C-alpha cells in the first residue's frame, strides 16, 4: 500500500506547504481600509465565510495552549507558543509580535477554491490593532485599487519593486585566519513586492493574490459550515485538540493542484524564453489509483498526545469497497516476522503488482508520462536486462522494503561504520515467473561482470546468488537474491548476507518493544506499516554517515550537535493505512522522549 500512502501524504504535504508559500507571497499587507471600524463578530470557524464547495482548506489553531502541549517533549522548545513567524513572515518594517499578533484571532488557514483562487483567512480578535497595522501598510505600499463588491471593500495592491539593502559577509580565503569575525557588507538590491488583494469581513481578514479570488468567495450562496460533509470535521472529537485540520474534495483538489503547478511551470518558461519547454507532468489521480472511483472528501487532524505527536488523514468513501478488491489489498503483516529485530526503516504492504499495473496503465494513457515510462524501461533493459514488466506481475503477495544494520557486503566495505544494507522481501504465488525474471537478469549481467563475480549456492536447501567480489575472504556483494521458503524471495542491495534471514531470525522485528510501541496506536487489521527506528538510525548517521559526508568538520559543530540532539529525542516514526466500511485512512505517530523534570 506504499502507493496509497504516498498519495495520502502528498495531498496533506502540499496543502500544509501552501500556508507559508501564500504568506510569503503576501508578506506584510494583511490590511483593510482605515475607515472601517466595525466591531469584531466572532464566528465558530473560518468555514462560516468559505463557499460550501471549497475544494480544500487547511486550518491552523493559533491558541497557545494547543501548542504548549508539545512542550512536554524534548524535540520542541520549552513553553512553546504558536510559531507565528513561520506562518506570517515579516520584513524590516514589521514584526509578528508587534504588528500581527495583537489582532490575530484563534484560527487561520489557507483555502483552495479553484485552480485559480487560493485564499488566506485569519480570524481577528482586535479590530483597533488591525486598523493600526493597516495604516502602516498603506504607508508602505502604493495606493490600492478599491473595489466595492457585495457589501465588502476589496483593496487590490499591484505588484511593484522596492529598493532595499542586504548584508553579506566578506569572503575569507581558506589560508587566512581572521582574528575577529568578518563584518557585514551592505549591498543594494531590488525587492519584488507581489500583487495582493485583501478584504475584511466581520471577524475575519481575507487575503489573496487577486481580487477575483475574493469575489469568487463572496459569490457563494451557501457556506462551508453548512456542508454536512464538512460538519463531520468539526464534530470529530479530534478537532477539539488539533493544532491543524484539513478538509477537501480529494480528487478535485488534486486535479486543481496539478493545474496550479502546470501554470507555474508555464510561467517559468515564459520568463525564460531561451529555456527548453517544460513537459506537462499533470496526471489525473483517478488513472493511477485502483480505489479512486470510491473517493469522496478528505479530512485530517494533527494533535499532541502524552507519548508524542499524532496525525490522521482519511478519505471518505462514496460507497464501500467491494470485497473482491479489498481482500487482495489487505495484508496479514506476517512477512515482518522474517526481518531481524534491529532495522533502520521498514515499510510493508500487499499486492504490489496490482498497484503497479494500475499505475502503468494510467501512465500509458498520458502521452508525456508514456514517453518517460518507455525511456525508463529502455534504461532498465540496457542496465539490467529486465524492466518492470518482468518483475512486477509476480509480486502479488505480501512485500516489505527495509534498511538494516550489517557489516557485510559492498556498502559496509566502502567506509568504516557504514553498516547498512537495503532489502526487499516479496511473497508470490508464481515462483516460476519470478525465477524466469531472475534468470534473465543473471544471464544479462554474468558476461558483463565475469563468472567469478557471480556465486551460486544454497542455504537451508534454497538457492541463492551473490553478485560481487570476495576480498580476503570477505564478501563484497552489491546484490544478492534467494528464497527463504517456497514462495518468499529475498533481495539485498549493497550489502548484507542471506544467511541473516534464512533460517528465520532467532528474534524478529515484531518481538521488539520499540516496534510494538510504535504501532500500538494503529488497528491490527490494515494495509501495511511504515516504521523508522530512530535510535538505530541516528546511531548509523552519527557513527557512519556524518564522518563520510563531513569528516572532522562535523565533529563539535554546534549546529550539527543541536540537530543531533533534536533528532535523537525521537524514539520512532511510524504509520499505518487501513480501510473501513466508509473510509480509507492513514495514521502517523511520532513517538517522542519526554522533557526531563527538574
Amino acid at each position: 500500500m506504499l502507493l496509497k500512502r504516498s498519495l495520502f501524504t502528498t495531498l496533506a504535504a502540499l496543502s500544509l506547504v501552501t500556508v507559508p508559500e501564500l504568506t510569503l507571497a503576501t508578506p506584510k499587507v494583511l490590511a483593510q481600509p482605515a475607515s472601517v471600524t466595525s466591531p469584531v463578530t466572532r464566528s465558530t470557524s473560518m468555514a462560516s465565510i468559505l463557499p460550501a464547495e471549497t475544494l480544500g482548506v487547511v486550518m491552523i489553531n493559533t491558541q497557545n495552549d494547543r501548542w504548549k502541549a508539545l512542550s512536554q517533549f524534548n524535540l520542541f522548545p520549552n513553553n512553546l507558543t504558536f510559531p507565528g513567524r513561520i506562518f506570517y513572515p515579516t520584513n524590516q518594517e514589521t514584526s509578528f509580535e508587534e504588528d500581527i499578533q495583537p489582532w490575530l484571532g484563534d484560527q487561520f488557514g489557507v483555502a483552495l477554491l479553484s485552480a485559480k483562487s487560493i485564499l488566506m483567512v485569519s480570524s481577528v480578535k482586535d479590530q483597533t490593532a488591525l486598523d493600526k497595522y493597516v495604516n502602516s501598510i498603506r504607508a508602505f505600499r502604493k495606493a490600492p485599487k478599491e473595489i466595492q463588491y457585495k457589501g465588502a471593500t476589496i483593496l487590490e495592491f499591484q505588484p511593484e519593486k522596492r529598493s532595499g539593502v542586504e548584508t553579506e559577509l566578506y569572503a575569507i580565503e581558506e589560508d587566512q585566519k581572521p582574528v575577529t569575525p568578518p563584518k557585514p557588507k551592505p549591498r543594494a538590491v531590488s525587492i519584488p513586492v507581489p500583487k495582493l488583494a485583501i478584504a475584511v469581513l466581520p471577524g475575519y481578514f481575507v487575503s489573496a493574490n487577486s481580487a477575483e479570488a475574493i469575489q469568487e468567495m463572496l459569490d457563494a450562496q451557501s457556506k462551508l459550515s453548512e456542508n454536512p460533509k464538512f460538519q463531520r470535521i468539526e464534530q470529530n472529537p479530534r478537532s477539539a485538540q488539533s493544532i491543524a485540520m484539513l478538509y477537501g474534495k480529494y480528487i478535485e483538489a488534486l486535479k486543481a493542484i496539478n493545474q496550479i503547478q502546470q501554470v507555474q511551470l508555464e510561467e517559468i518558461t515564459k520568463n525564460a524564453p531561451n529555456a527548453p519547454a517544460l513537459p506537462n507532468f499533470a496526471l489525473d489521480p483517478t488513472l493511477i489509483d485502483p480505489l479512486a472511483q470510491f473517493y469522496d472528501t478528505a479530512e485530517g487532524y494533527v494533535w499532541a498526545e502524552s507519548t508524542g505527536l499524532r496525525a490522521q488523514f482519511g478519505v471518505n468513501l462514496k460507497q464501500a469497497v467491494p470485497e473482491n478488491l479489498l481482500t487482495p489489498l489487505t495484508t496479514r503483516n506476517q512477512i515482518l516476522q522474517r526481518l531481524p529485530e534491529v532495522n533502520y526503516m521498514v515499510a510493508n504492504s500487499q499486492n504490489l503488482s496490482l498497484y503497479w499495473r494500475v499505475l502503468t496503465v494510467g501512465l500509458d494513457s498520458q502521452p508525456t508520462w508514456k514517453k518517460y515510462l518507455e525511456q525508463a524501461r529502455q534504461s532498465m533493459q540496457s542496465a539490467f536486462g529486465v524492466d518492470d514488466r518482468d518483475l512486477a506481475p509476480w509480486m502479488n503477495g505480501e512485500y516489505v522494503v527495509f534498511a538494516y544494520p550489517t557489516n557485510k557486503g559492498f556498502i559496509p566495505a566502502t567506509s568504516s561504520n557504514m553498516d547498512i544494507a537495503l532489502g526487499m522481501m516479496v511473497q508470490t504465488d508464481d515462483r516460476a515467473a519470478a525465477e524466469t525474471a531472475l534468470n534473465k537478469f543473471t544471464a544479462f549481467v554474468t558476461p558483463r561482470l565475469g563468472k567469478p563475480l557471480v556465486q551460486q549456492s544454497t542455504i537451508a536447501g534454497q538457492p541463492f546468488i551473490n553478485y560481487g567480489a570476495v576480498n580476503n575472504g570477505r564478501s563484497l556483494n552489491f546484490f544478492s537474491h534467494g528464497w527463504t521458503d517456497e514462495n518468499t524471495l529475498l533481495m539485498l542491495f549493497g550489502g548484507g548476507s542471506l544467511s541473516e534471514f534464512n533460517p528465520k531470525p532467532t528474534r524478529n522485528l515484531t518481538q521488539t518493544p520499540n516496534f510494538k510501541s510504535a504501532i500500538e496506536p494503529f488497528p491490527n487489521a490494515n494495509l501495511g506499516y511504515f516504521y523508522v527506528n530512530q535510535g538505530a538510525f541516528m546511531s548509523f548517521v552519527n557513527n557512519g554517515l556524518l564522518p563520510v559526508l563531513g569528516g572532522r568538520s562535523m565533529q563539535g559543530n554546534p549546529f550539527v550537535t543541536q540537530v543531533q540532539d533534536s533528532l535523537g529525542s525521537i524514539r520512532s516514526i511510524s504509520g499505518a493505512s487501513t480501510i473501513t466500511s466508509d473510509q480509507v485512512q492513514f495514521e502517523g505517530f511520532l513517538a517522542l522522549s519526554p522533557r526531563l523534570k527538574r
Side-chain angles (χ1 to χ4, degrees), residues 148-330:
Q148 301 298 323
Y149 194 80
K150 295 190 175 180
T153 300
I154 303 174
L155 299 183
E156 188 173 64
F157 296 84
Q158 297 303 313
E160 56 183 282
K161 290 187 177 181
R162 304 186 67 87
S163 59
V165 176
E166 286 186 348
T167 56
E168 58 181 6
L169 298 180
Y170 287 101
I172 302 173
E173 299 296 332
E174 293 184 0
D175 58 350
Q176 292 181 349
K177 298 180 180 179
V179 178
T180 58
K183 296 181 179 179
K185 177 182 178 181
R187 181 167 62 97
V189 295
S190 177
I191 303 174
V193 181
K195 182 178 180 180
L196 175 70
I198 61 96
V200 173
L201 300 177
Y204 289 93
F205 172 78
V206 183
S207 62
N209 59 359
S210 70
E212 289 77 11
I214 299 177
Q215 290 172 334
E216 182 176 341
M217 181 196 74
L218 296 173
D219 284 337
Q221 299 298 313
S222 56
K223 303 303 179 184
L224 185 60
S225 58
E226 303 167 1
N227 187 329
K229 294 178 179 179
F230 177 81
Q231 290 172 355
R232 174 173 175 162
I233 293 278
E234 295 192 325
Q235 293 168 0
N236 190 306
R238 299 295 183 207
S239 64
Q241 61 185 131
S242 294
I243 59 175
M245 295 191 297
L246 176 148
Y247 165 84
K249 298 182 176 182
Y250 185 75
I251 297 298
E252 292 87 340
L254 283 181
K255 289 181 178 179
I257 291 171
N258 280 338
Q259 293 179 39
I260 292 171
Q261 292 174 336
Q262 191 58 36
V263 170
Q264 292 173 341
L265 291 175
E266 292 172 356
E267 283 294 321
I268 294 174
T269 304
K270 179 181 178 181
N271 295 329
N274 295 327
L278 297 175
N280 183 359
F281 286 107
L283 187 62
D284 187 342
T286 61
L287 298 176
I288 60 173
D289 191 336
L291 301 177
Q293 60 180 308
F294 304 101
Y295 293 158
D296 192 8
T297 57
E299 58 185 86
Y301 312 86
V302 179
W303 71 97
E305 289 188 347
S306 60
T307 53
L309 188 63
R310 291 283 306 277
Q312 188 179 87
F313 178 76
V315 181
N316 302 314
L317 302 176
K318 299 175 183 177
Q319 62 189 76
V321 177
E323 193 66 26
N324 63 349
L325 180 57
L326 180 58
T327 300
L329 302 178
T330 304

Side-chain angles (χ1 to χ4, degrees), residues 72 74 594-598:
Q72 62 184 301
N74 280 327
R595 188 180 303 280
L596 297 178
K597 297 182 179 180
R598 298 179 179 179

Side-chain angles (χ1 to χ4, degrees), residues 9-72:
T9 52
T10 296
L11 177 61
L14 284 172
S15 301
L16 289 171
V17 166
T18 305
V19 175
E21 286 182 346
L22 183 57
T23 52
L24 282 169
T26 61
K28 324 307 171 284
V29 204
L30 303 179
Q32 65 163 353
S35 59
V36 176
T37 57
S38 59
V40 171
T41 301
R42 296 298 305 132
S43 300
T44 57
S45 167
M46 58 186 285
S48 62
I49 65 171
L50 293 175
E53 300 305 315
T54 296
L55 295 185
V57 59
V58 178
M59 298 165 286
I60 308 296
N61 193 294
T62 67
Q63 297 178 76
N64 286 335
D65 61 338
R66 300 276 181 102
W67 294 87
K68 285 182 179 178
L70 298 175
S71 297
Q72 62 184 301

